[in-house]
């Protein structure tokens, strides 16, 4: 396990909000045992990776054309809940897709949310995060 992987304790319930354990849900993708079959599944797994501070997975699932050198986690920021608001494309037979979501968080105890419409594409057959438009 690399030093950049999972600085947070492993939760029982998956942070992505689906009714499954972390180990059986996003944990399989983070460990490399499975790949996301849809853009929404990748979005959920990336939310969980942010919640878990799993930099390796985030970088691995980022489009090579827009991937940063690293991910700077704020130790005061805690991702609490994900709401999927809608999606276009992004299915098993698509090459592109979008997922609109609200990610709820706390910073120093204060609640906040990130509302974004994320774009995804397939890179060598695997779904990757391309970029997103933040909404107010």
């Amino acid at each position: 396990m690399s030093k950049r992987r999972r600085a947070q304790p492993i939760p029982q319930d998956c942070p992505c909000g689906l009714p499954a354990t972390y180990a059986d849900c996003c944990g399989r993708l983070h460990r490399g045992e499975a790949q996301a079959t849809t853009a929404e599944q990748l979005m959920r797994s990336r939310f969980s990776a942010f919640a878990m501070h799993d930099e390796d997975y985030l970088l691995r699932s980022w489009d090579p054309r827009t991937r940063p050198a690293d991910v700077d986690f704020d130790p005061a920021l805690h991702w609490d809940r994900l709401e999927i608001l809608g999606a276009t494309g992004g299915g098993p037979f698509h090459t592109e897709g979008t997922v609109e979501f609200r990610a709820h968080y706390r910073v120093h105890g204060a609640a906040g949310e990130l509302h974004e419409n994320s774009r995804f594409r397939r890179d060598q057959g695997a779904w990757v995060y391309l970029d997103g438009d933040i909404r107010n």
Side-chain angles (χ1 to χ4, degrees):
M1 190 179 294
S2 95
K3 66 180 181 142
R4 298 184 313 181
R5 192 168 174 95
R6 283 200 200 96
Q8 301 296 313
I10 296 174
Q12 176 65 26
D13 295 330
C14 195
C16 82
L18 291 177
T21 65
Y22 168 76
D24 291 336
C25 192
C26 293
R28 296 177 317 108
L29 281 70
H30 295 175
R31 292 186 306 270
E33 297 170 2
Q35 283 191 339
T37 58
T38 66
E40 180 180 328
Q41 187 181 28
L42 184 66
M43 174 67 242
R44 288 180 179 279
S45 70
R46 286 178 55 82
F47 174 84
S48 292
F50 273 106
M52 302 289 296
H53 293 192
D54 189 340
E55 183 179 35
D56 290 343
Y57 181 76
L58 289 167
L59 294 175
R60 203 168 59 242
S61 62
W62 214 306
D63 189 298
R65 299 177 300 183
T66 58
R67 178 188 307 136
D70 59 12
V71 179
D72 186 25
F73 296 107
D74 179 346
L77 181 81
H78 299 278
W79 295 101
D80 293 325
R81 184 170 55 94
L82 177 66
E83 284 181 87
I84 302 296
L85 303 175
T88 61
F93 303 108
H94 297 112
T95 57
E96 297 178 339
T98 66
V99 178
E100 184 179 359
F101 67 92
R102 272 196 199 101
H104 299 267
Y105 62 86
R106 286 176 289 114
V107 177
H108 300 290
E113 71 179 34
L114 169 68
H115 182 181
E116 181 176 311
N117 192 38
S118 295
R119 292 189 317 147
F120 299 88
R121 72 174 193 92
R122 287 196 187 264
D123 180 52
Q124 299 178 12
W127 283 107
V128 293
Y129 169 77
L130 180 61
D131 59 19
D133 295 320
I134 295 176
R135 308 220 169 155
N136 293 330

